[in-house]
Amino acid sequence: MKLLEDVIREKGTILEGGVLKVDSFLNHQIDPELMKALGDEFADAFADYGINKILTVETSGIAPAVFAGLKLGVPVVFGRKNKSLTLQDNMYTTSVYSYTKQTSNEISISKDFLNSDDRVLIIDDFLANGQAVAGLFSICKSAGASIAGVGIVIEKSFQKGRRFVEESGIPILSLARVASLDDRTVTFVDETKE
Ligand code: 5GP
């Protein structure tokens, strides 16, 4: 998505360890107009997939997910991140290792909001090694929910998450695909083909 690539180029900064910082429009301050454009793009791409629910993870997946939910006319459920292991009888829970924070979080979703009648679109802000998406896959499996697709705002194509999703056979749409962050420059996948 050209609009998103332009914003990443203009406002993204590159940190050590292949981390792209996008705090000014996605991860801290949020650009509502851009989020709406992203959400609409997901909604249009997955309009015919029979989706009745969007699943994301707090915090940064919520904004684009809500706009996609608005356009598709479906609710948005976000996985909650808990550090403590309290007894959670009514929750589906899985452990997810965070690439950027280098710690594990429990992600929980209430059984009240996900079940075997659901056909979900998973949306997240970044796809790196695929841990967050794998955690949501596992929660959907526990709930008996089917997964119609995965929508990612920024995919780091040089990490293994993309291949993980492709191997699962679940359709994936990434709005920006970063091929490399080498030399402090963002290069997108399409550019490497030119
Ligand atoms: P994964 O689980 O695919 O390894 O990583 C996805 C999660 O890690 C995202 O939800 C995001 O919070 C975080 N993440 C991974 N790589 C980056 C990055 O380069 N920049 C930012 N801002 N977050 C990232």
Side-chain angles (χ1 to χ4, degrees), residues 18-20 27 97 99-100 124-132 156:
V19 172
L20 179 63
N27 288 149
Y97 181 77
Y99 176 77
T100 41
D124 205 4
D125 60 339
F126 270 87
L127 178 65
N129 286 324
Q131 300 282 323
K156 293 194 296 179

Side-chain angles (χ1 to χ4, degrees), residues 84-96:
S84 67
L85 273 173
T86 44
L87 254 189
Q88 297 175 325
D89 280 348
N90 197 40
M91 305 287 256
Y92 296 111
T93 296
T94 191
S95 179
V96 170

Side-chain angles (χ1 to χ4, degrees), residues 2 7 11 27 42 53 57 87 90 105 109 115 118-119 122 124 133-134 138 140 154 160 162-163 165 168 170 178:
K2 178 152 188 332
V7 175
K11 298 184 174 164
N27 288 149
F42 288 132
K53 193 162 282 182
V57 184
L87 254 189
N90 197 40
N105 273 310
I109 293 181
N115 60 56
D118 288 326
R119 183 160 169 77
I122 290 173
D124 205 4
V133 168
S138 142
C140 286
I154 303 174
K160 58 188 185 200
R162 169 86 188 198
R163 185 178 305 167
V165 178
S168 75
I170 294 168
V178 175

Side-chain angles (χ1 to χ4, degrees), residues 95-188:
S95 179
V96 170
Y97 181 77
S98 162
Y99 176 77
T100 41
K101 299 196 179 102
Q102 305 203 340
T103 54
S104 284
N105 273 310
E106 296 291 317
I107 291 184
S108 306
I109 293 181
S110 167
K111 293 180 181 175
D112 292 341
F113 303 124
L114 190 67
N115 60 56
S116 56
D117 294 332
D118 288 326
R119 183 160 169 77
V120 307
L121 171 63
I122 290 173
I123 288 184
D124 205 4
D125 60 339
F126 270 87
L127 178 65
N129 286 324
Q131 300 282 323
V133 168
L136 291 175
F137 281 8
S138 142
I139 285 179
C140 286
K141 198 173 170 203
S142 305
S146 66
I147 304 165
V150 174
I152 298 293
V153 177
I154 303 174
E155 170 191 306
K156 293 194 296 179
S157 310
F158 54 91
Q159 291 183 248
K160 58 188 185 200
R162 169 86 188 198
R163 185 178 305 167
F164 165 75
V165 178
E166 282 179 348
E167 283 174 358
S168 75
I170 294 168
I172 175 167
L173 171 67
S174 300
L175 300 183
R177 301 189 64 201
V178 175
S180 154
L181 295 172
D182 293 346
D183 304 323
R184 304 241 156 206
T185 305
V186 184
T187 308
F188 294 101

